[in-house]
Amino acid sequence: MGERILTLRELNRATLARQLLLERASITPLAAIRQVAGLQGQLANPPYMGLWSRLRAFQREDLTNLLERREVVRTSMMRRTLHLTTTEDYVNFRPALATLHARQLESFFGQPLASGLTRERLLAEMQGFLREKPRTNVELRTRLAELVPQMDERLLYAVRAALSLIQVFPGGAWGVGGSPAYAEAQAWLGRSFVPPAEGLRVLIRSYLAAFGPASTKDLQIWSGLSHLQSAVEILRPELTTFRDEQGRELFDLPGALLPSRHTPTPVRFIPDFDNLILAYNDRQRIIPEHYRSYVTPGRSLVLPTFLVDGFVSGIWYIERTPTIARLILQPFEPLPLSISQELQAEGQRLLAWAAEKIDTFEIVVSVYDGSGGKQNMWGRL
């Protein structure tokens, strides 16, 4: 008997189930962040909204407390982008991602630095500096300038990526902007990293639990790592396989959720940069191809979206004045009245949860005009 072929809708429903988007889950925020393999956190507020869409009775302090207790950390992770992950996942994932984070620094050491510093000496000096206490970007830049006079400004970001740094609290907390302080991870957490091979095994299995069934290319897109075929092959005896309708091999964990393609799906609001949008090489299981450029219009933006029947069907943003919080819904195509009403009801709940000290809410629905230029205001709430 050949491998089972999964349809696009079956893959869509599997992804939504594992991302806790078929129905809100009655689990802790810590368990939810582990289940979805981290929440991308380029901005502070979207991970909170991502949990609101996934959990029953989620409150902002639930996540803020996890950050303060160091059970969840904000740091550079998959694709070398900011994520919120559990501390347990961080000490497993980070060794597997080390080569990705070191890559940027290598370009500075094709020839000796003017100061004569080696890569190893530079990192050791900066690591020691960070272990004394958390350091801001200004402090890190000043110390680097002492070690490398007339340094290229990009060196700061390359060093920061190569070292395992955590943004210390209140970095990543709701409403907090500005430049956070950084701490050396193992000293700050009091935890050691696992060996890289074990970390990669955990990373792959966590990805499949959160996003499977998926191909090796999907895994590579999500993680930012390349040449993972051999690592997946090592795990093959532990995995099950399927095919998609194009014949691509998909890997999965045995017994993982595979809901029927007929499973009903509620509307859901998805925040900026959510990994739901970014976790696949072929994103059609979530975004119809002709809408993809609307969601990622350039300038490294990934706009907030809403799901209808499990698929991205429009974008949203929030405008706020001192007296009114206004939710703007922009469907890509006109929606049936029943769907529009469901979206507006969910939008009212979102505004009531998100807007502090404001009691007047408005919802405006207008068909997307194709500009993609409206800046999401979520970070201002």
Side-chain angles (χ1 to χ4, degrees):
M1 182 179 296
E3 292 166 307
R4 176 180 168 184
I5 295 174
L6 298 176
T7 67
L8 181 66
R9 290 182 67 85
E10 286 176 312
L11 292 172
N12 171 268
R13 279 6 184 208
T15 296
L16 295 180
R18 300 182 199 193
Q19 285 291 301
L20 310 178
L21 291 166
L22 277 184
E23 58 181 344
R24 284 183 166 92
S26 298
I27 59 177
T28 67
L30 187 69
I33 295 170
R34 182 181 300 117
Q35 169 58 39
V36 301
L39 294 163
Q40 186 155 332
Q42 299 297 93
L43 303 173
N45 289 359
Y48 285 79
M49 188 270 179
L51 289 175
W52 177 83
S53 284
R54 289 169 164 97
L55 297 178
R56 299 182 188 276
F58 171 71
Q59 299 298 320
R60 291 193 291 275
E61 60 265 26
D62 297 339
L63 177 54
T64 300
N65 291 340
L66 291 173
L67 287 164
E68 188 170 17
R69 295 197 301 263
R70 308 183 195 182
E71 295 179 57
V72 168
V73 295
R74 189 190 196 202
T75 180
S76 179
M77 290 288 282
M78 287 69 72
R79 304 181 302 280
R80 216 163 52 226
T81 56
L82 284 174
H83 277 74
L84 267 59
T85 65
T86 69
T87 297
E88 190 68 29
D89 278 347
Y90 178 69
V91 298
N92 281 289
F93 290 6
R94 177 65 197 209
L97 297 167
T99 56
L100 173 68
H101 287 85
R103 195 176 300 157
Q104 194 173 358
L105 188 59
E106 298 300 329
S107 63
F108 288 93
F109 289 89
Q111 55 187 8
L113 293 174
S115 62
L117 275 180
T118 64
R119 175 184 182 279
E120 290 70 25
R121 169 83 185 283
L122 177 64
L123 291 178
E125 290 283 350
M126 294 303 296
Q127 189 173 56
F129 183 61
L130 282 151
R131 282 182 171 173
E132 293 173 1
K133 65 175 186 178
R135 304 288 186 175
T136 65
N137 270 332
V138 172
E139 292 174 300
L140 293 173
R141 187 179 290 108
T142 300
R143 179 59 179 144
L144 267 177
E146 293 171 354
L147 295 168
V148 187
Q150 300 178 332
M151 73 166 193
D152 186 321
E153 178 67 18
R154 294 172 300 164
L155 183 61
L156 169 63
Y157 301 99
V159 167
R160 209 173 65 191
L163 293 172
S164 301
L165 304 185
I166 299 292
Q167 290 190 4
V168 304
F169 188 81
W174 176 273
V176 175
S179 180
Y182 295 87
E184 198 277 331
Q186 294 185 84
W188 184 251
L189 298 174
R191 298 282 301 272
S192 298
F193 292 136
V194 303
E198 174 59 19
L200 184 56
R201 177 181 180 277
V202 174
L203 182 83
I204 294 170
R205 291 183 62 88
S206 295
Y207 171 73
L208 293 176
F211 295 102
S215 69
T216 302
K217 283 188 176 180
D218 293 329
L219 169 64
Q220 291 177 165
I221 290 294
W222 170 79
S223 66
L225 297 169
S226 57
H227 308 299
L228 292 180
Q229 294 88 344
S230 60
V232 173
E233 282 300 320
I234 290 171
L235 286 178
R236 185 181 285 272
E238 303 177 24
L239 306 176
T240 188
T241 58
F242 302 95
R243 297 277 171 178
D244 67 12
E245 292 173 297
Q246 287 70 46
R248 290 173 292 218
E249 185 175 37
L250 305 177
F251 295 91
D252 204 4
L253 301 181
L257 289 171
L258 283 175
S260 164
R261 66 182 184 276
H262 302 299
T263 303
T265 62
V267 299
R268 286 286 185 258
F269 286 93
I270 306 300
D272 318 50
F273 302 103
D274 198 283
N275 275 324
L276 180 73
I277 308 299
L278 300 170
Y280 300 101
N281 180 57
D282 182 357
R283 299 179 186 176
Q284 292 189 83
R285 72 169 72 187
I286 293 296
I287 312 177
E289 186 62 31
H290 50 287
Y291 294 154
R292 183 167 172 171
S293 63
Y294 298 174
V295 177
T296 54
R299 305 189 305 281
S300 299
L301 293 175
V302 181
L303 299 181
T305 60
F306 57 80
L307 307 181
V308 173
D309 190 29
F311 294 89
V312 170
S313 297
I315 64 172
W316 63 271
Y317 56 93
I318 291 175
E319 293 178 336
R320 174 174 171 164
T321 73
T323 58
I324 296 175
R326 181 178 294 112
L327 174 64
I328 313 297
L329 302 175
Q330 293 189 334
F332 299 143
E333 305 287 346
L335 297 173
L337 178 60
S338 60
I339 297 298
S340 182
Q341 291 173 336
E342 186 182 356
L343 268 174
Q344 292 184 56
E346 181 78 346
Q348 285 281 2
R349 290 188 286 270
L350 170 63
L351 286 173
W353 176 84
E356 301 167 285
K357 302 178 182 178
I358 290 181
D359 297 320
T360 303
F361 309 134
E362 290 183 356
I363 297 179
V364 177
V365 181
S366 61
V367 174
Y368 180 69
D369 64 7
S371 66
K374 195 70 175 179
Q375 178 63 40
N376 174 42
M377 306 297 283
W378 176 263
R380 298 190 182 182
L381 287 178

